[in-house]
Amino acid sequence: MLVIRGRSHTWGPDLVREHSPSRSLGYGICWQDRAEVAQSLSWVLQRLKSSLAPGPWPPCPAVLNPSEPLTQTPAYGQRAIAGAQLICFDNPRPGRPYEIAITFPEFTCLCPFSGYPDFATLRLIYQPGPRVMELKALKLYVNSWRDRIISHEEVTNRIVDDWVAACAPTWLQLEADFNPRGNVHTVIKVSQGKRHPC
């Protein structure tokens, strides 16, 4: 989110308002495409150049109708997570062994016995084979587990299975370090393939 702060004003993509109680803009800015982004930024820069001169503000080109809702259900993040797919791209150095380490500190799923959320830090280390995993797709995939009822052991193995099927790594290790609950701390470690020195 872009927020530009002036002396007494804040501009952002979902709300533009003047902090002075005597003049409230009530603008909502919704950026649908690059043209609207450019128009809105141009409008903000005009205001900055004018040093917040007195007088009415010029109309913003990307103003929402105040009667329209500012949010949608499901939210854009929920829609992105629902459509999550593991995406890979070609390994740029297929003949050279190298490792990629990724940490996901906010993993969550649901306990199959209590229904309570289980929280974990996932630590992935892998040596790419023909393909490399794309990071945004990984983020959405990991977040897709948050409402699934599954055990620590099963979710760790399922994630490894999905990642192996998607990118065929030479070697992969996933460590799922679950937060302690009831004085019990569980760490699940799953690996597949043969690790090469690098």
Side-chain angles (χ1 to χ4, degrees):
M1 173 171 140
L2 170 68
V3 176
I4 303 176
R5 296 188 184 276
R7 282 185 243 160
S8 62
H9 298 75
T10 300
W11 296 276
D14 48 13
L15 181 66
V16 177
R17 70 173 171 273
E18 185 174 5
H19 292 310
S20 168
S22 61
R23 283 177 21 182
S24 178
L25 294 178
Y27 285 155
I29 294 184
C30 180
W31 291 345
Q32 299 294 333
D33 55 35
R34 291 182 181 178
E36 289 188 1
V37 172
Q39 289 176 344
S40 299
L41 289 176
S42 174
W43 176 78
V44 169
L45 291 174
Q46 286 176 5
R47 291 301 303 160
L48 290 173
K49 286 180 181 178
S50 68
S51 298
L52 303 176
W57 285 50
C60 177
V63 175
L64 281 177
N65 183 335
S67 64
E68 294 179 3
L70 293 177
T71 59
Q72 296 181 17
T73 303
Y76 73 90
Q78 292 171 311
R79 296 193 301 271
I81 290 168
Q85 294 182 346
L86 289 172
I87 299 171
C88 301
F89 57 92
D90 291 341
N91 183 353
R93 294 291 185 269
R96 173 185 294 164
Y98 65 97
E99 293 184 357
I100 300 172
I102 306 169
T103 301
F104 304 94
E106 298 176 337
F107 177 81
T108 184
C109 60
L110 299 177
C111 173
F113 301 100
S114 67
Y116 293 149
D118 284 323
F119 299 94
T121 297
L122 302 185
R123 297 181 187 92
L124 169 68
I125 303 176
Y126 77 103
Q127 294 182 329
R131 295 178 294 279
V132 176
M133 290 187 272
E134 196 272 327
L135 293 179
K136 182 178 179 182
L138 271 179
K139 175 188 76 171
L140 294 174
Y141 169 83
V142 166
N143 286 336
S144 73
W145 291 94
R146 67 184 180 185
D147 294 324
R148 299 195 200 182
I149 298 172
I150 192 166
S151 69
H152 299 169
E153 296 79 8
E154 178 64 13
V155 72
T156 309
N157 279 281
R158 287 270 299 278
I159 290 172
V160 167
D161 290 343
D162 290 349
W163 288 350
V164 167
C167 72
T170 301
W171 171 80
L172 177 147
Q173 177 181 284
L174 177 65
E175 179 182 277
D177 186 348
F178 284 86
N179 290 4
R181 180 192 290 171
N183 201 32
V184 177
H185 180 202
T186 307
V187 179
I188 312 293
K189 188 181 289 186
V190 179
S191 62
Q192 182 156 327
K194 182 179 179 181
R195 190 175 193 175
H196 297 283
C198 49

